[in-house]
Amino acid sequence: MQPQVIIKRNGLQRIAYTFVHSFNGLRWLCQNETAFQQELLLFFPLSIIAFWLELPAMHTLLIMLSMVFVLFAEMVNTAIEAVVDRVGLEYHALSRVAKNIGSATVLLSMLCSVAVWGTILWLNK
């Protein structure tokens, strides 16, 4: 089996391939990652509610960004888990630490989102 050659692209071709790879990553997450799917199931109705509340534009933006932050954290957590699993499926203390930190990142992002929602709803009651 021949080793793959990494092709370094430049200019517009690099940008186009970046979008392709990013889309492939999002598609994989949507098809395979249950936690990401669940977070998307919350993201869409909560986005509709955020716009329905007719909050000031800056408040709506903050709410939306806080929810995107949760999705972002889940992406990073999934990437960490994939790399750790790629290295080896046997138990290792550092693998556990990496996965726990990735999970903590998601939890912290969710707490931040809840805090943003709560603060904005409290300010606009």
Side-chain angles (χ1 to χ4, degrees):
M1 189 161 133
Q2 293 181 345
Q4 281 187 312
V5 176
I6 297 174
I7 300 170
K8 295 286 185 177
R9 294 178 174 85
N10 297 315
L12 292 176
Q13 188 182 38
R14 180 179 177 275
I15 293 170
Y17 274 86
T18 298
F19 279 107
V20 168
H21 294 306
S22 298
F23 176 77
N24 288 339
L26 284 170
R27 184 176 58 192
W28 187 92
L29 284 163
C30 291
Q31 292 173 348
N32 299 292
E33 185 58 36
T34 304
F36 190 79
Q37 294 166 354
Q38 292 168 340
E39 289 155 0
L40 275 180
L41 285 174
L42 282 174
F43 177 82
F44 289 116
L46 289 175
S47 296
I48 293 168
I49 291 170
F51 285 104
W52 175 76
L53 290 173
E54 296 182 8
L55 299 168
M58 188 58 71
H59 290 178
T60 303
L61 176 64
L62 286 172
I63 284 175
M64 297 300 294
L65 288 176
S66 75
M67 294 188 303
V68 168
F69 183 50
V70 172
L71 296 174
F72 173 74
E74 187 61 52
M75 293 169 146
V76 171
N77 182 43
T78 302
I80 290 169
E81 289 178 350
V83 169
V84 168
D85 290 346
R86 166 65 176 88
V87 170
L89 295 177
E90 69 279 351
Y91 175 81
H92 192 282
L94 289 177
S95 296
R96 180 178 177 190
V97 168
K99 288 186 173 193
N100 286 347
I101 291 171
S103 181
T105 303
V106 175
L107 176 63
L108 187 59
S109 71
M110 288 179 176
L111 293 174
C112 287
S113 188
V114 168
V116 169
W117 270 94
T119 302
I120 288 175
L121 291 176
W122 184 72
L123 289 174
N124 290 285
K125 60 180 174 179

